[in-house]
Every structure is written in C-alpha cells, then in structure tokens.
C-alpha cells in the first residue's frame, strides 16, 4: 500500500501535466502498465502525486526526448535516471563544449553576471550566431535545467541565466537582421506559454539565412496571431512550446489556429512539448530541433521558387 501523501505537498495531476509535459492519459497508462507513478487520491478522488515522483517524471520526460523508451527508463531509480541523463549529455558535446559549459555554469552558480555575459559574447564571436545557438546555448539550457532539477541552482540563478542569454541573443540577432528577406516569419507563443528563449533561438537560427523574422513576444491571443499574420502578409507563423506546456492543449490550440489561418500561411511549431508529434498535428510543420529549423526553411524556399 502506498504511503499517504501529505496534502501540503501533494501535486494534482493537472499541475504534474503542466510541470512535466506528460499528458494525463500518459500518466494513467504508465500507472497501469508499469506501476509508476503511484498517486494517492485527494478528497475529491482526484490523483495527487508526491514531489519525489514528479521529480522522477521530469527526468523520464527528458530521457524520452533524447530517444529512450518508457520501458527502459520508468523502472530505474531517480539517481540512475539523473546519471543516465548526465551521461547522454556528456556524449553529445565535445570536450571544448564541455569546458565552455562548465565555465559558464560556474558563473551562473556564483551570480557573476558580468563574466557570464562576457563569456557568451566571446562564444558568439568565435562560433557565429547559428553555431552559438546549436553548440553553446542548446546544451547549456539542458545543463541549467538538470542543475535546477538536482537542486544545484535555484530560481534566482535560473532567472539570471535566462535574462543574460536573452540579452545576448537579442543583440546578436539585431546585428544580423535582414529586411525584405523571405519567407516572412511571425514568431510568438500562445497565451499560456511565457518562455521566450525558444523563440529567440529559432530567430537566431533563421535570421542569418536571410529570413525576415518579426516577433510578437510571448502570450499572444490566438485571434491576435491570426490578425497579425493575415494583415501583415506573413508566410509562416512560428510558435514555441516549452516542456511545461501540456501536449493536449498545444495540439488543440495549434489545430484551432490552423483552421483560422489561410492555407497559404504555414505554421511551424517547435519545442519539447510538441517534439515528434507530427501525426497529431496535420497541416502543421513540427520542428524537431535547430537543424530541422533550417530544413523547414529550405523546404519552404524550394516550394516557393518561381
């Protein structure tokens, strides 16, 4: 029998879905098939989960995103999952990237914002904007997220990192911005998505290729996205979804936007919440990583060559 979960720490299934990006249906299927997670019930009979199980679910989601199967990762302990994720991350980056990452992470932990900004600017100058996003920011985002899950950094350090990266990306994008390029891409997020870093990384990948990107920032109502896309004669609407965005909501919102826009305006959707979900999103180009962003751009230009 499960140990009763304290009402003070219990986390409802809707909050777990938002936090981990795992749908309620997935959580229920795993409960039946694998015996994990093992929720309790609140006074209304709804599933509630202890924080340690939610922590394990976060790790499982990240490992699924790098290609592991549920049957392999769900039975493992939280510590084994963390080690597996760390091992995968180290294999994915070069020794030079590892050294750069360790240095920048140390600046984050010590609140050394000036050194962090200097290090980021140096990386941009050395790598160029696209490689900087792919080889420095993408793996660094993973490292920051993993450090936060392990309790090695807190919210202030995560905010410090995010703010400085955003500032550096905006500055670098401004230096590369092209006017009159094609396609014309409108970038934004839906109202419940407030993370802007994914948008900036997409823009930093597209702008050096000569695409014309206009960002509305985050949390734009669907009707306003449609109005801006149609009235501004954009070719593409690009949306970003962080891992915390519920998949079911992302699918519903995207299909609603697809129905509201003319067929001539493409929708590109990227981010961890929609990664690999092409079958659930007909008529929408799912972007599975930064390289795929460039592939989508090439496909659009090929299709629109006179």
């Amino acid at each position: 029998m499960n140990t009763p979960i304290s009402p003070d720490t219990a986390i409802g299934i809707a909050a777990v879905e938002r936090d981990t990006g795992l749908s309620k249906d997935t959580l229920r299927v795993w409960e039946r098939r694998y015996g994990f997670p093992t929720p309790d019930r609140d006074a209304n009979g709804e599933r509630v989960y202890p924080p340690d199980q939610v922590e394990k679910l976060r790790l499982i989601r990240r490992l699924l995103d790098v290609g592991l199967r549920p049957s392999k990762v769900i039975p493992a302990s939280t510590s084994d999952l963390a080690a597996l994720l760390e091992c995968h991350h180290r294999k994915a980056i070069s020794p030079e990237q590892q050294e750069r990452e360790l240095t920048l992470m140390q600046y984050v932990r010590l609140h050394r914002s000036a050194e962090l900004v200097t290090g980021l600017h140096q990386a941009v100058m050395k790598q160029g904007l696209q490689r900087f996003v792919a080889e420095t920011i993408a793996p660094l985002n993973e490292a920051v997220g993993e450090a936060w899950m392990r309790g090695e950094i807190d919210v202030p350090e995560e905010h410090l990192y995010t703010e400085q990266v955003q500032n550096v990306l905006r500055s670098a994008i401004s230096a590369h911005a092209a006017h009159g390029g094609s396609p014309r891409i409108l970038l934004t997020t839906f109202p419940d998505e407030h993370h802007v870093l994914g948008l900036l990384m997409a823009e930093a990948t597209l702008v050096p290729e000569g695409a014309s990107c206009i960002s509305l920032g985050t949390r734009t109502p669907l009707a306003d996205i449609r109005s801006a896309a149609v009235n501004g004669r954009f070719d593409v609407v690009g949306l970003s979804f962080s891992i915390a965005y519920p998949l079911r909501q992302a699918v519903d919102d995207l299909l609603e936007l697809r129905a509201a826009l003319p067929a001539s305006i493409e929708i590109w959707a990227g981010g961890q919440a929609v990664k690999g979900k092409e079958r659930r999103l007909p008529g929408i180009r799912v972007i599975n990583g930064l390289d795929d962003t460039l592939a989508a751009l090439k496909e659009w230009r090929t299709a629109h060559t006179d």
Side-chain angles (χ1 to χ4, degrees):
M1 181 178 294
N2 295 337
T3 302
I5 302 169
S6 168
D8 295 333
T9 60
I11 303 170
I13 191 169
V16 174
E17 182 181 47
R18 289 193 300 272
D19 188 349
T20 65
L22 297 166
S23 71
K24 296 176 185 178
D25 290 341
T26 295
L27 294 171
R28 296 186 187 109
V29 168
W30 287 358
E31 183 183 335
R32 294 193 302 270
R33 184 174 299 171
Y34 303 111
F36 180 86
T38 54
D40 205 342
R41 302 277 178 165
D42 63 14
N44 298 317
E46 297 293 328
R47 286 173 170 82
V48 292
Y49 300 79
D52 62 327
Q53 290 189 24
V54 178
E55 178 186 359
K56 179 175 177 178
L57 288 167
R58 290 193 198 104
L59 290 168
I60 289 172
R61 171 59 194 268
R62 293 179 75 90
L63 287 164
L64 296 182
D65 286 340
V66 300
L68 276 70
R69 300 181 65 82
S71 58
K72 178 176 181 179
V73 296
I74 290 174
S77 67
T78 299
S79 59
D80 287 344
L81 292 174
L84 186 60
L85 189 60
E86 178 72 12
C87 180
H88 174 85
H89 177 67
R90 291 301 166 201
K91 288 180 179 177
I93 62 176
S94 67
E96 180 184 1
Q97 288 174 287
Q98 291 182 30
E99 182 178 357
R100 183 186 308 115
E101 179 186 299
L102 290 172
T103 300
L104 294 174
M105 281 296 297
Q106 187 70 355
Y107 293 152
V108 172
R109 292 189 178 96
L110 297 176
H111 292 250
R112 291 165 61 176
S113 58
E115 289 95 332
L116 175 61
V117 170
T118 298
L120 292 171
H121 277 301
Q122 288 174 344
V124 173
M125 293 176 65
K126 181 176 181 179
Q127 296 174 301
L129 186 51
Q130 289 179 329
R131 284 187 56 210
F132 172 69
V133 170
E135 298 178 13
T136 293
I137 298 303
L140 196 55
N141 286 348
E142 290 189 21
V144 168
E146 291 160 15
W148 182 82
M149 285 192 293
R150 293 193 298 265
E152 296 174 2
I153 63 172
D154 294 321
V155 171
E157 289 83 27
E158 192 273 337
H159 284 179
L160 165 71
Y161 165 76
T162 302
E163 186 68 22
Q164 300 307 332
V165 168
Q166 289 176 11
N167 291 339
V168 170
L169 283 175
R170 287 191 176 105
S171 175
I173 289 167
S174 296
H176 285 78
H179 300 285
S182 65
R184 283 173 44 79
I185 303 174
L186 183 69
L187 297 169
T188 190
T189 71
F190 285 136
D192 291 330
E193 176 61 80
H194 63 272
H195 293 91
V196 73
L197 197 51
L199 290 180
L200 288 170
M201 292 172 69
E203 188 174 2
T205 303
L206 291 162
V207 164
E209 298 294 323
S212 178
C213 296
I214 303 295
S215 178
L216 297 180
T218 59
R219 310 185 74 174
T220 306
L222 188 148
D224 292 346
I225 297 173
R226 182 194 179 281
S227 176
V230 172
N231 295 334
R233 299 185 178 182
F234 283 89
D235 302 301
V236 178
V237 173
L239 298 122
S240 176
F241 298 88
S242 67
I243 194 171
Y245 204 96
L247 174 60
R248 183 181 302 173
Q249 183 180 343
V251 170
D252 291 345
D253 291 345
L254 283 165
L255 293 179
E256 183 178 353
L257 180 62
R258 178 66 281 169
L261 287 175
S264 59
I265 300 178
E266 294 190 11
I267 298 177
W268 297 355
Q272 294 296 331
V274 296
K275 186 175 181 180
K277 304 304 179 185
E278 291 86 350
R279 279 192 246 180
R280 298 184 63 174
L281 293 166
I284 293 165
R285 177 63 154 89
V286 176
I287 305 294
N288 294 306
L290 296 172
D291 289 342
D292 202 26
T293 303
L294 297 177
L297 178 63
K298 182 178 180 180
E299 289 170 15
W300 186 94
R301 286 177 168 164
T302 299
H304 293 83
T305 299
D306 293 332

